Amino acid sequence: RANFLRYLVVIGFSLLLIKVFFLQVIDFQFYKGISDKNRIRQIPQPAPRGLIMDRNGKLLAQNRVSFTVSVIPYEIKDLNATLSALSKILGVETHILQEKVQNGGGLKFFRPVKVHKDMDFNTLSKIAEQNQELGGVIYQVEPVRQYPTQSWATHLLGYVSEISAEELEKVSPEEREKTDILMGAYIGKEGIEKKYDADLRGKEGCEYLEVTA
């Protein structure tokens, strides 16, 4: 019986060591990835859209600075309550914000989902004042397309607008990975903006922030 107990203890420790080995060595990258997602916040940085000029160097299409508010669903404990509070600040119906979050990836999405763009500074200040209550809500500076007034080339230039769900479905997985096209991205819809969209849009960058408990 004593030998049986020894064998049982040895087998138990052996199984424990094997489990530790799998966790620390074999599955290390998997669990490290999960840990990094919880610890490191990835904030996409949209590339400024390329300028369009005429042959004399006159600007026909440029960019201006704007403020965008996004939510990171994975970091929000009570999404409905947070979106309800945010809707009062933005003056947008709650269900519209909920639809944008759902279309942007759902409740377990780690990347920021843009819910409101081109905010004025007063609205931005209200969100900043309530940052403790609005956990998982962030804001950032983004470039927005701007065209000179009374431009003779308006019909030729076309315009830029947010990609629709239908348009996103038509983008192949290879192109999505190559160009970082996601819901919330702006693409050329007509004219030169559409014809040379891949060249004008540029490639998205990313800022990594370590999240404290």
Side-chain angles (χ1 to χ4, degrees), residues 35-196:
S35 174
D36 287 342
K37 284 183 178 179
N38 289 323
R39 182 176 59 86
I40 300 176
R41 177 188 288 173
Q42 298 182 29
I43 308 298
Q45 301 294 319
R49 198 167 176 86
L51 305 178
I52 300 177
M53 305 179 183
D54 65 13
R55 64 180 182 178
N56 296 316
K58 180 181 178 180
L59 277 173
L60 301 178
Q62 58 188 4
N63 305 300
R64 65 174 176 81
V65 172
S66 73
F67 299 106
T68 296
V69 61
S70 304
V71 300
I72 305 177
Y74 185 78
E75 295 185 7
I76 299 178
K77 295 181 179 179
D78 190 337
L79 184 62
N80 290 331
T82 298
L83 294 182
S84 178
L86 188 60
S87 70
K88 296 176 182 178
I89 299 174
L90 298 176
V92 179
E93 294 291 336
T94 304
H95 71 88
I96 295 178
L97 301 180
Q98 291 172 334
E99 288 176 4
K100 290 188 176 183
V101 171
Q102 195 61 42
N103 292 335
L107 302 180
K108 296 183 179 180
F109 204 50
F110 289 93
R111 289 171 61 97
V113 178
K114 299 174 185 178
V115 295
H116 195 71
K117 300 179 180 180
D118 210 8
M119 288 187 303
D120 59 75
F121 187 76
N122 289 333
T123 303
L124 175 67
S125 300
K126 292 178 182 178
I127 294 176
E129 290 172 357
Q130 301 183 36
N131 65 329
Q132 294 296 327
E133 294 78 16
L134 298 174
V137 177
I138 64 171
Y139 50 87
Q140 60 190 127
V141 176
E142 286 191 345
V144 170
R145 207 56 160 168
Q146 185 179 51
Y147 304 96
T149 57
Q150 299 180 344
S151 173
W152 57 267
T154 300
H155 63 288
L156 182 64
L157 292 173
Y159 66 98
V160 172
S161 183
E162 186 173 343
I163 190 170
S164 66
E166 292 76 17
E167 290 170 326
L168 187 60
E169 287 180 0
K170 296 178 182 178
V171 181
S172 65
E174 294 77 14
E175 187 176 353
R176 286 194 195 187
E177 184 176 353
K178 181 180 179 181
T179 58
D180 295 321
I181 296 181
L182 295 170
M183 285 301 299
Y186 273 68
I187 62 172
K189 294 293 183 87
E190 297 289 346
I192 292 175
E193 293 281 21
K194 181 177 181 180
K195 175 72 173 178
Y196 297 99

